[in-house]
Every structure is written in structure tokens, then in C-alpha cells.
Amino acid sequence: MANMAPNKVAMPIQEPEVRITNFEEVTLGYTKEMAIEEANRCLHCKNRPCVSGCPVNVNIPDFIEEVKSGNFEEAYKIISVTSSLPAVCGRVCPQESQCESKCVRGIKTEAVAIGRLERFVADYVRENCNTPMTKPETNGHKVAVVGAGPAGLTCAGDLAKAGYEVTVFEALHVAGGVLMYGIPQFRLPKEIVQNEISHLKELGVNFITNFVVGRSDSIDALIEEGYEAIFIGSGAGLPNFMKLEGENLKGVYSANEFLTRINLMKAYRAGSPTPIQHPTKCVVVGGGNVAMDAARCARRLGAEVHIVYRRSLDELPARKEEVEHAMEEGIIFDLLRNPTKVLGNEQGWINGVECIKMELGEPDASGRRRPVEIPGSEFVIDADCMIMSIGTSPNPLIRQTTEGLEVNRKGCLVVDDTNMTTREGIYAGGDAVTGAATVISAMGAGKKAAASIQAYLNK
């Protein structure tokens, strides 16, 4: 019988006063009993609206049905048909705006906790089963994947399952892309990311790290080496700045640099070879998930943290859960505010951020109300650290070193409906095409490109 409780089964969580002293995972996951109880809230609708909200089309009702019966390994097999990274997706996907937004239970009550159940299933199998993947028989076709982030990993996984010989070229010293350098340990433990990647290796995917395509070798050189198709999933790692006076002072970081030092290089640990400033007062500019990640990391370094965002709480683009966690952790939200100048001392360090108050005017091209400055409302926030989190753009290196790749005015690669670029046999997806977006949307692009590559090589 269905569980008609109006609310999701609550997720155990570290208390705010405890978690701001460590980088351990904040949410602790369901027990078996909790997972089964929550699974029984699913009505197993015949028309499966939740599936239409998933960019990789996970068979949600069927995997949840197996959870109801305690068949967790079978549930994992169902998820794995379409998703290469279930433990990741269960943690960082914005389910509230995707699969859960389509859930029938969510019309009058809370939607089924699809993401929490996916995480539980992946964690259960990793901890209790974790049967090695079987490498398929090769079909003889070689494909190169540029970038080991979510788009590249998904494309590589789908192609490997179909017998393709896949090599992934990654610029950093470890595979995972934004999953490793961008998302904090307290949201996505890195050992979980590496466990997911280990499954791809079992399928036969070869990873070459410390390899910058466009510098270590070119796209054309890879083609000459016998790769019949190439997928570019190099992300959007070039940070944007506001070009403010004082933006080049010491203590001013891009969110990418700040998070990479902390997440990938473990700079918060004593004696880290890649140290980072431990600020006392930090201003984070921006309102997206990356801004929340940077702010919550700075809080764990002991800082008083202000998030400066030029619109109101209603327009804040970050996930609701991340905003709530940030507020619980004592982060101050300076909304309807915008920085105008970075102030510094004689030693060249930041010592304050001048801001101006804003009000919302008429909607802009995005449909959101345009923020307008209030003349004469300038004020200063004391700060010895500032983190700019106002978006990123694709690195131009690949397009600058490869003939025939067209980009749009934002520097993103142009692709057709099959995710092929303007050069035959070269495909692209994820942030390199869309600009900075979600992990799951990048995975969806990687999956689509993998299908298109298979069709291209078998025509």
C-alpha cells in the first residue's frame, strides 16, 4: 500500500554548528528503512512524468519499485542503463527543477525524494556489492574524449558499453573535472567520484591525465593517430570578472581558483603544498550554486562571509537546499547589493568592498526584473578576501588550435541537433557548448553525443 505521507522522509544531516568546523559530507543519506519508506510514496504512474524531467531519462518508477521490495542491486542496474554516475547525480542534480518537478505527488504535497533514493541505491551497492563491470568485446572503433568532466565521462561510458575503444584526455592530474575541482567535499566526497570513474576503467575506458589538448597535442594530431570521432567536453573553466577598480588586489580570487585549491589540492589542510588564505571576513559576489560552494568553503575556513547579489532572494539562482544550508551556517546574504570598487591597503591586499544598493525595475531579456542602482546608497563591507562567482566561459584554446570549429558570440562551440560541431566527426557537449550549466545537463549532452557518434561510425 502506498505511503501517503505528505512530506519526504527527512534526510539525516550534520548540525550547522558542527559542519562548519569540517569538510565532511553535510547530508548523511538514508538507511534501508528510510529508503523503503520513501519509495512507498511513489505511485508508479503509468505515464511516468518524472522520466521526462530527467536529462538522461533514468527509468525512475521501475528503480523505485525495486527499492520498495528491498532489491537495491536490481534498482542500481536499472539506473545504470542510462546513467554512468548515479552516486554523483543523487547528490548534486537539481532534482527539484527536473524529475521531482514532474512528480504527481508534488502537485499537492512534497514530491517523492527521487534524488535521495538514487543516492541511497548507489551508496548501498558501492558499500555492499560493487561487482566489477564486465568489459564488452571491442568493435574496433577508436574514439577520443577531451575532458574528464560529467559530459566526457558520460559519453565515454556509453561508448565503452557499446564496445568502442575510448581514450579520455584530461588536462588536470586527476579525472573528474568539475566534480573534483569545483564541488566541495561536503557536498560530493571525492572518493565517490573516483569510485564511479573506476567503473568506467573496468569497462575499458583509458584515461590520460596531464594532457592539455591544444598544447600537449592537437585535435588534428589525435585524428592522425587513428581516432575516428572526437567528443569535446572541456567545460567552461575561464572565470569572468567585473573589471572593477582594485579587482587585481591580493586576496581577490575567482571562484574557480578558490574552489580548485580547496577541493582538488586540499588547501584547507595544515601543511598543504597548495596553501590558501584563511580569511577573517570574505565577500562572495554572485548567487548561483558556485557562489554558495565558495561561501560555504570560506565559512569552514573560519571567515565571516557575505554573499553580495544584485537581485532579491526570489531571483537567487542557486538550489533551494544550498541556500538553506548556507543560511543555517551563518552566511550573511546582502541582497539587492552590487560591488562597485575593491579597496586595498598599502601592501596591495584587499581591505574592503564598496557596494551600492539596488532595486528591481522592469524585466530584462532573461525575464527577470532588471536591478537598478539607487544613487547615493554606496557603503563599504570590510573584507580581507573577495571571491568572484559571476560565471565562466569556455577556454578558447581548443578552438584556437583547431581549424573549422565555429563558436557563438560567447565563445561556445556551435553544434547541430546531433551535437556534431561545424567539423565532421567532431562532437561537443556540456559547458563547452552551453556555457556554465548543471552536471546533469552536461551528462545529457554526453549521452546524446555518444548515440550520435555510434550512428556516425556505423552509417
Side-chain angles (χ1 to χ4, degrees), residues 46-86:
K46 289 184 179 180
N47 61 349
R48 302 169 176 242
C50 53
V51 177
S52 68
C54 175
V56 296
N57 299 118
V58 169
N59 189 338
I60 295 166
D62 283 5
F63 102 71
I64 292 180
E65 197 68 18
E66 296 298 338
V67 175
K68 289 181 186 179
S69 304
N71 299 326
F72 307 132
E73 192 169 5
E74 189 60 36
Y76 180 81
K77 291 177 183 177
I78 292 170
I79 297 171
S80 297
V81 169
T82 54
S83 175
S84 298
L85 307 169

Coordinates of all heavy atoms in Angstrom, one line a residue, residues 46-86:
K46 N 1.5 5.5 -14.6 CA 1.6 4.8 -15.9 C 2.3 5.7 -17.0 O 3.0 5.2 -17.8 CB 0.2 4.4 -16.4 CG -0.4 3.2 -15.6 CD -1.7 2.8 -16.2 CE -2.3 1.6 -15.4 NZ -3.6 1.2 -16.0
N47 N 2.0 7.0 -16.9 CA 2.6 7.9 -17.9 C 4.0 8.4 -17.6 O 4.6 9.1 -18.3 CB 1.7 9.0 -18.3 CG 1.4 9.9 -17.1 OD1 1.8 9.6 -15.9 ND2 0.8 11.1 -17.3
R48 N 4.5 8.0 -16.4 CA 5.9 8.3 -15.9 C 6.3 9.8 -16.2 O 7.4 10.0 -16.9 CB 6.9 7.3 -16.6 CG 6.5 5.9 -16.4 CD 7.3 4.9 -17.3 NE 7.0 3.6 -16.9 CZ 7.9 2.7 -16.5 NH1 9.1 3.0 -16.4 NH2 7.5 1.5 -16.1
P49 N 5.7 10.7 -15.6 CA 6.1 12.1 -15.9 C 7.5 12.5 -15.4 O 8.1 13.3 -16.0 CB 5.0 12.9 -15.2 CG 4.5 12.0 -14.1 CD 4.5 10.7 -14.8
C50 N 7.9 11.8 -14.3 CA 9.2 12.1 -13.8 C 10.3 11.8 -14.7 O 11.3 12.5 -14.8 CB 9.4 11.3 -12.5 SG 9.1 9.5 -12.6
V51 N 10.2 10.8 -15.6 CA 11.2 10.4 -16.5 C 11.5 11.5 -17.5 O 12.6 11.8 -17.9 CB 10.9 9.1 -17.2 CG1 11.9 8.7 -18.3 CG2 10.7 7.9 -16.2
S52 N 10.4 12.2 -17.9 CA 10.5 13.3 -18.9 C 11.3 14.5 -18.3 O 11.9 15.3 -19.1 CB 9.1 13.8 -19.3 OG 8.5 14.4 -18.3
G53 N 11.4 14.5 -17.0 CA 12.2 15.6 -16.4 C 13.6 15.3 -16.2 O 14.4 16.2 -15.7
C54 N 14.0 14.1 -16.5 CA 15.4 13.7 -16.3 C 16.2 13.8 -17.6 O 15.9 13.1 -18.6 CB 15.5 12.2 -15.8 SG 17.1 11.6 -15.6
P55 N 17.3 14.6 -17.6 CA 18.0 14.8 -18.9 C 18.7 13.5 -19.4 O 19.0 13.4 -20.6 CB 19.1 15.8 -18.5 CG 18.5 16.6 -17.4 CD 17.7 15.5 -16.6
V56 N 18.9 12.5 -18.6 CA 19.4 11.2 -19.1 C 18.4 10.1 -19.1 O 18.7 8.9 -19.3 CB 20.7 10.8 -18.3 CG1 21.8 11.8 -18.5 CG2 20.4 10.6 -16.8
N57 N 17.1 10.4 -18.8 CA 16.0 9.5 -18.9 C 16.1 8.2 -18.0 O 15.9 7.1 -18.5 CB 15.7 9.1 -20.3 CG 15.4 10.3 -21.2 OD1 16.1 10.7 -22.1 ND2 14.3 11.0 -20.8
V58 N 16.5 8.4 -16.8 CA 16.5 7.3 -15.9 C 15.1 6.7 -15.7 O 14.2 7.5 -15.6 CB 17.1 7.7 -14.5 CG1 16.9 6.6 -13.5 CG2 18.6 8.0 -14.6
N59 N 15.0 5.4 -15.7 CA 13.7 4.7 -15.5 C 13.3 4.8 -14.0 O 13.5 3.9 -13.3 CB 13.8 3.3 -16.0 CG 12.4 2.6 -16.0 OD1 11.5 3.1 -15.4 ND2 12.3 1.6 -16.8
I60 N 12.8 6.0 -13.6 CA 12.6 6.3 -12.2 C 11.6 5.4 -11.6 O 11.9 4.8 -10.5 CB 12.3 7.8 -12.1 CG1 13.5 8.6 -12.5 CG2 11.9 8.1 -10.6 CD1 13.2 10.1 -12.7
P61 N 10.4 5.2 -12.1 CA 9.4 4.4 -11.4 C 9.9 3.0 -11.2 O 9.6 2.4 -10.1 CB 8.2 4.5 -12.4 CG 8.3 5.7 -13.1 CD 9.8 5.9 -13.3
D62 N 10.6 2.4 -12.2 CA 11.0 1.0 -12.0 C 12.1 0.8 -11.0 O 12.1 -0.1 -10.2 CB 11.4 0.4 -13.4 CG 10.2 0.1 -14.3 OD1 9.1 0.4 -13.9 OD2 10.5 -0.4 -15.4
F63 N 13.0 1.8 -11.0 CA 14.1 1.6 -9.9 C 13.5 1.8 -8.5 O 13.9 1.1 -7.6 CB 15.3 2.5 -10.2 CG 15.4 3.8 -9.5 CD1 15.8 3.7 -8.1 CD2 15.3 5.0 -10.1 CE1 15.9 4.9 -7.4 CE2 15.4 6.2 -9.3 CZ 15.7 6.1 -8.0
I64 N 12.5 2.7 -8.4 CA 11.9 3.0 -7.1 C 11.1 1.7 -6.7 O 11.1 1.4 -5.5 CB 11.1 4.2 -7.1 CG1 12.0 5.5 -7.2 CG2 10.3 4.4 -5.8 CD1 11.3 6.8 -7.3
E65 N 10.5 1.1 -7.7 CA 9.7 -0.1 -7.4 C 10.6 -1.2 -6.8 O 10.2 -1.9 -5.9 CB 9.0 -0.6 -8.7 CG 7.9 -1.6 -8.4 CD 6.7 -1.0 -7.8 OE1 6.5 0.3 -7.8 OE2 5.8 -1.7 -7.2
E66 N 11.8 -1.3 -7.3 CA 12.7 -2.3 -6.7 C 13.2 -1.9 -5.3 O 13.4 -2.8 -4.5 CB 14.0 -2.4 -7.7 CG 13.7 -3.0 -9.0 CD 13.1 -4.4 -9.0 OE1 13.3 -5.1 -8.0 OE2 12.4 -4.8 -10.0
V67 N 13.3 -0.6 -5.1 CA 13.7 -0.2 -3.7 C 12.6 -0.5 -2.8 O 12.8 -1.0 -1.6 CB 13.9 1.4 -3.7 CG1 14.2 1.8 -2.3 CG2 15.1 1.7 -4.6
K68 N 11.3 -0.4 -3.2 CA 10.2 -0.8 -2.3 C 10.3 -2.2 -1.8 O 10.0 -2.5 -0.7 CB 8.9 -0.7 -3.1 CG 8.4 0.7 -3.4 CD 7.1 0.7 -4.1 CE 6.6 2.1 -4.6 NZ 5.3 2.0 -5.3
S69 N 10.8 -3.1 -2.7 CA 10.9 -4.5 -2.4 C 12.2 -4.9 -1.8 O 12.5 -6.0 -1.5 CB 10.7 -5.3 -3.7 OG 9.5 -5.0 -4.3
G70 N 13.1 -3.9 -1.5 CA 14.4 -4.1 -1.0 C 15.4 -4.7 -1.9 O 16.5 -5.2 -1.5
N71 N 15.1 -4.7 -3.2 CA 16.0 -5.2 -4.3 C 16.9 -4.1 -4.7 O 16.8 -3.6 -5.9 CB 15.2 -5.8 -5.4 CG 14.3 -6.9 -5.0 OD1 14.7 -7.7 -4.1 ND2 13.2 -7.0 -5.7
F72 N 17.8 -3.7 -3.9 CA 18.6 -2.5 -4.1 C 19.6 -2.7 -5.3 O 19.9 -1.7 -6.1 CB 19.4 -2.0 -2.9 CG 18.5 -1.9 -1.7 CD1 18.8 -2.4 -0.5 CD2 17.3 -1.2 -1.8 CE1 18.0 -2.3 0.6 CE2 16.4 -1.0 -0.7 CZ 16.8 -1.6 0.5
E73 N 20.2 -3.9 -5.4 CA 21.1 -4.1 -6.5 C 20.4 -4.1 -7.9 O 20.9 -3.6 -8.8 CB 21.8 -5.4 -6.3 CG 23.0 -5.6 -7.2 CD 23.9 -6.8 -6.9 OE1 23.6 -7.6 -5.9 OE2 25.0 -7.0 -7.5
E74 N 19.2 -4.6 -7.9 CA 18.4 -4.5 -9.1 C 18.0 -3.1 -9.5 O 18.1 -2.7 -10.7 CB 17.2 -5.4 -9.0 CG 16.4 -5.6 -10.3 CD 17.2 -6.3 -11.4 OE1 18.0 -7.2 -11.0 OE2 17.0 -5.9 -12.6
A75 N 17.7 -2.3 -8.5 CA 17.4 -0.9 -8.7 C 18.6 -0.2 -9.3 O 18.5 0.6 -10.2 CB 17.1 -0.2 -7.4
Y76 N 19.8 -0.5 -8.8 CA 21.1 0.1 -9.3 C 21.3 -0.3 -10.8 O 21.7 0.5 -11.6 CB 22.3 -0.4 -8.5 CG 23.6 0.2 -9.0 CD1 24.0 1.4 -8.6 CD2 24.4 -0.6 -9.8 CE1 25.2 2.0 -9.0 CE2 25.7 -0.1 -10.2 CZ 26.0 1.2 -9.8 OH 27.2 1.7 -10.2
K77 N 21.0 -1.5 -11.2 CA 21.1 -2.0 -12.6 C 20.2 -1.2 -13.5 O 20.6 -0.8 -14.6 CB 20.8 -3.5 -12.7 CG 21.9 -4.4 -12.0 CD 21.5 -5.8 -12.1 CE 22.5 -6.7 -11.4 NZ 22.0 -8.2 -11.5
I78 N 19.0 -0.9 -13.0 CA 18.0 -0.1 -13.8 C 18.6 1.3 -14.0 O 18.5 1.8 -15.1 CB 16.7 -0.1 -13.1 CG1 16.0 -1.5 -13.1 CG2 15.7 0.9 -13.8 CD1 14.8 -1.7 -12.3
I79 N 19.1 1.9 -12.9 CA 19.6 3.3 -13.1 C 20.8 3.3 -14.0 O 20.9 4.2 -14.9 CB 20.0 3.8 -11.7 CG1 18.8 3.9 -10.7 CG2 20.7 5.2 -11.8 CD1 19.2 4.2 -9.3
S80 N 21.7 2.3 -13.9 CA 22.9 2.3 -14.7 C 22.7 2.1 -16.2 O 23.6 2.3 -16.9 CB 23.8 1.2 -14.1 OG 24.2 1.4 -12.8
V81 N 21.5 1.6 -16.6 CA 21.3 1.5 -18.0 C 21.5 2.9 -18.7 O 22.0 3.0 -19.8 CB 19.9 0.9 -18.3 CG1 19.5 1.0 -19.7 CG2 19.8 -0.5 -17.8
T82 N 21.0 3.9 -18.0 CA 21.1 5.3 -18.7 C 22.0 6.3 -18.0 O 22.3 7.3 -18.5 CB 19.7 5.9 -18.7 OG1 19.1 5.9 -17.4 CG2 18.8 5.1 -19.7
S83 N 22.4 6.0 -16.7 CA 23.3 6.9 -16.0 C 24.6 6.3 -15.6 O 24.6 5.2 -15.0 CB 22.6 7.4 -14.7 OG 23.5 8.2 -14.0
S84 N 25.7 6.9 -16.0 CA 27.0 6.4 -15.6 C 27.5 6.9 -14.2 O 28.5 6.4 -13.7 CB 28.1 6.9 -16.7 OG 27.8 6.4 -17.9
L85 N 26.8 7.9 -13.6 CA 27.2 8.5 -12.4 C 26.1 8.6 -11.4 O 25.8 9.7 -10.9 CB 27.8 9.9 -12.7 CG 28.9 10.0 -13.8 CD1 29.2 11.4 -14.1 CD2 30.2 9.3 -13.3
P86 N 25.5 7.5 -11.0 CA 24.3 7.7 -10.1 C 24.6 8.2 -8.7 O 23.8 9.0 -8.2 CB 23.8 6.2 -10.0 CG 24.9 5.3 -10.4 CD 25.7 6.1 -11.4

